[in-house]
């Protein structure tokens, strides 16, 4: 890879070669961060060359991605999700310039497709035919879908609490699925042991440094869609921390490449019932403390975050802010997104918007700020919580009298 110089440990700083199967630091076990030759990238990538590209997937930013190419296998269409100008929602939240980046529009309906598409390509580079992960749901369903498209097998470990919609996707994509009776932490541990035992490719965001590189494409798109004029803030929901780390990395890459002149401040949103990263960030420490997983937003119910270092760095280095939201605030943001904008979000997908609402109301961000809120997952994945949020329809007999009564 001409554009990649190596992988640097986020804890001890050691640099190792970036091989397809590189996972954590061989010395201290820290998570690695892929490093680029920005001078080379600057010579290859600019606004003009980008404008001319017809590729409408995340791979249009090839110079900034740690792959040799994507080969000839069939791929799902991942990335290039819509960025909607959300005037009505902005009005309701008191924010003058608001956009919604709807990543629920990815092929398996979450932002995780960006990481899984990357993982599948790296697994192929490593010569693997089976790829495995543990997940609260979306990493798993996206892996299953992207693996199925490329003709790889997937082995998936999910906590038993995962919503039905996500499990249905897994089964439909033909993955081997293990529902683990236990927390996400237990699920992660058993998957790691199994990957060791059977030598599969490891798609655990906790240790695979390439996944964040896939996720960062969401920021590359936001920048391009806004004509490289950066918003003041980008709101994102946080569980393991890989997503917010990726959002930051994408902006940092563009900054280093000279395509943007400032990095937006990140709004890190967690659920009040499970907010170890925000608690540490707010206290200005890297020493996070495990928490229980008490929230309806299953995708961000992560009591033992796997990517705390990159997440905390992203918040600190972007001069970011932290907001925690209750389940009621999340359910209410789901309704707001749906009824004001026609965007259907799962609870974790609406959490960022819930946090943004709270930040605007409490004066944490300025009224004339420009903001992008990322919807990370589609609401059809978790229909039970959608109904909890939006309520049940009116029952009628098939008679006009009932309707007339209703409209009177
Ligand atoms: C995974 C996920 C997140 C959070 O990403 P992390 O990398 O775990 O912080 C947020 N929303 C949805 C819908 C997700 O699937």
């Amino acid at each position: 890879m001409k554009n990649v110089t190596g992988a640097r440990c986020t804890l001890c700083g050691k640099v190792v070669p970036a091989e397809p199967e590189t996972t954590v630091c061989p010395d201290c076990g820290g998570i690695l961060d892929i490093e680029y030759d920005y001078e080379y990238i600057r010579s290859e990538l600019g606004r003009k060359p980008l404008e001319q590209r017809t590729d409408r997937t995340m791979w249009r930013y090839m110079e900034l991605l740690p792959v040799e190419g994507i080969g000839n296998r069939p791929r799902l269409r991942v990335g290039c999700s819509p960025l909607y100008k959300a005037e009505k929602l902005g009005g309701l939240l008191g924010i003058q310039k608001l956009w919604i980046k709807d990543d629920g529009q990815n092929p398996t309906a979450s932002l995780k497709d960006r990481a899984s598409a990357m993982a599948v390509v790296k697994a192929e580079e490593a010569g693997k035919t089976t790829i495995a992960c543990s997940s609260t749901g979306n990493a798993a369903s996206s892996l299953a879908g992207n693996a199925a498209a490329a003709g790889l097998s997937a082995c998936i470990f999910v906590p038993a609490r995962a919503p039905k919609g996500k499990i249905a996707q897994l089964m439909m994509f033909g993955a081997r699925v293990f529902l683990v009776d236990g927390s996400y932490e237990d699920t992660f541990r058993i998957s790691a042991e199994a990957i060791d035992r059977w030598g599969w490719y490891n798609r655990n965001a906790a240790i695979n440094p390439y996944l964040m590189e896939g996720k960062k494409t969401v920021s590359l798109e936001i920048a391009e869609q806004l004509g490289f004029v950066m918003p003041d803030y980008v709101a994102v929901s946080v569980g393991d921390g890989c997503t917010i780390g990726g959002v930051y990395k994408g902006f940092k890459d563009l900054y280093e490449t000279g395509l943007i002149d400032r990095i937006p401040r990140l709004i890190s949103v967690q659920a009040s019932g499970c907010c170890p990263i925000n608690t540490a960030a707010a206290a200005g420490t890297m020493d996070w403390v495990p928490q229980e997983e008490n929230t309806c937003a299953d995708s961000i119910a992560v009591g033992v975050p796997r990517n705390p270092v990159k997440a905390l760095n992203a918040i600190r280095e972007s001069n970011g802010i932290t907001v925690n939201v209750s389940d009621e605030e999340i359910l209410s943001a789901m309704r707001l997104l749906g009824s004001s904008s026609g965007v259907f979000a799962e609870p974790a997908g609406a959490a960022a918007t819930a946090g943004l609402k709270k930040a605007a109301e409490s004066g944490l961000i300025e009224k004339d700020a420009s903001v992008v809120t990322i919807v990370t997952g589609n609401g059809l994945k978790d229909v039970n919580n959608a109904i909890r949020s939006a309520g049940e329809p009116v029952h009628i007999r098939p008679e006009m009298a009932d309707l007339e009564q209703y409209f009177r």
Side-chain angles (χ1 to χ4, degrees):
M1 298 180 284
K2 274 201 224 137
N3 55 344
V4 172
T5 56
R8 182 185 298 272
C9 177
T10 51
L11 293 182
C12 74
K14 185 186 174 78
V15 179
V16 298
E19 306 292 350
E21 280 194 84
T22 298
T23 53
V24 291
C25 175
D27 284 1
C28 75
I31 293 183
L32 299 173
D33 184 39
I34 304 297
E35 292 194 324
Y36 294 87
D37 178 350
Y38 291 116
E39 208 169 308
Y40 167 75
I41 295 169
R42 259 198 300 268
S43 70
E44 298 284 309
L45 186 70
R47 292 185 197 188
K48 273 274 140 58
L50 265 178
E51 266 169 34
Q52 266 135 37
R53 282 185 198 168
T54 50
D55 183 352
R56 292 278 175 269
T57 75
M58 63 183 254
W59 303 109
R60 69 191 265 107
Y61 308 102
M62 197 52 102
E63 291 86 349
L64 284 169
L65 297 174
V67 294
E68 296 286 2
I70 60 165
N72 297 322
R73 289 182 186 244
R75 308 275 170 214
L76 295 177
R77 191 272 316 143
V78 178
C80 290
S81 62
L83 183 79
Y84 299 121
K85 183 101 205 328
E87 273 170 30
K88 192 164 170 203
L89 182 60
L92 291 169
L93 303 189
I95 293 169
Q96 281 179 13
K97 279 184 244 150
L98 178 65
W99 291 266
I100 301 168
K101 177 69 170 167
D102 186 8
D103 245 48
Q105 294 296 321
N106 276 304
T108 77
S110 83
L111 186 148
K112 296 283 194 301
D113 276 334
R114 299 178 186 273
S116 291
M118 175 64 71
V120 166
V121 170
K122 295 311 281 185
E124 290 163 15
E125 283 182 9
K128 301 279 182 172
T129 52
T130 298
I131 177 164
C133 79
S134 69
S135 160
T136 55
N138 286 333
S141 49
S142 71
L143 176 60
N146 283 274
L152 270 64
S153 323
C155 246
I156 311 269
F157 298 81
V158 233
R161 64 149 199 258
K164 271 260 156 58
K166 298 181 184 181
I167 292 171
Q169 283 184 302
L170 291 176
M171 302 311 293
M172 195 56 81
F173 295 141
R176 237 177 283 158
V177 184
F178 303 97
L179 265 194
V180 181
D181 282 321
S183 67
Y184 177 46
E185 172 68 3
D186 298 325
T187 310
F188 184 86
R189 185 182 40 78
I190 179 86
S191 81
E193 284 173 24
I195 287 165
D196 246 15
R197 168 85 165 74
W198 284 286
W200 303 321
Y201 189 80
N202 191 336
R203 186 243 179 267
N204 279 328
I207 63 157
N208 184 322
Y210 295 109
L211 303 176
M212 229 183 73
E213 303 301 312
K215 287 187 174 182
K216 80 182 179 189
T217 56
V218 70
S219 295
L220 308 182
E221 290 171 20
I222 289 172
E224 197 184 4
Q225 286 167 316
L226 291 175
F228 299 98
V229 179
M230 287 295 88
D232 298 317
Y233 297 91
V234 173
V236 52
S237 57
V238 176
D240 261 325
C242 178
T243 303
I244 194 167
V247 168
Y248 178 72
K249 182 78 177 279
F251 290 129
K252 180 172 165 256
D253 280 353
L254 292 173
Y255 183 79
E256 298 290 346
T257 313
L259 279 162
I260 61 174
D261 58 7
R262 63 175 177 138
I263 293 177
R265 298 178 68 184
L266 301 183
I267 305 176
S268 166
V269 185
Q270 292 209 282
S272 324
C274 189
C275 52
I277 290 180
N278 275 358
T279 305
T285 170
M286 297 298 275
D287 294 329
W288 56 276
V289 180
Q291 291 192 4
E292 282 183 35
E293 298 173 349
N294 287 328
T295 170
C296 70
D298 68 291
S299 302
I300 53 169
V302 184
V304 181
R306 293 290 160 180
N307 245 311
V309 177
K310 285 186 183 176
L312 289 165
N313 283 342
I315 297 167
R316 198 187 50 213
E317 284 169 28
S318 73
N319 191 19
I321 54 184
T322 60
V323 188
N324 299 323
V325 289
S326 67
D327 280 4
E328 289 67 47
E329 288 166 324
I330 290 174
L331 293 170
S332 142
M334 287 168 69
R335 265 191 323 275
L336 266 181
L337 275 164
S339 59
S340 74
S341 312
V343 171
F344 191 6
E346 67 163 274
T353 305
L356 177 58
K357 179 168 187 280
K358 204 165 177 175
E361 281 168 1
S362 63
L364 208 54
I365 66 173
E366 314 76 43
K367 293 270 177 257
D368 60 350
S370 54
V371 187
V372 172
T373 183
I374 304 178
V375 169
T376 45
N378 189 280
L380 281 175
K381 285 174 172 278
D382 186 354
V383 170
N384 285 345
N385 272 312
I387 296 285
R388 229 180 111 197
S389 162
E392 299 277 353
V394 179
H395 267 230
I396 57 162
R397 295 169 301 165
E399 284 167 25
M400 286 306 286
D402 279 20
L403 274 180
E404 268 158 21
Q405 162 102 28
Y406 173 81
F407 282 109
R408 198 171 296 135

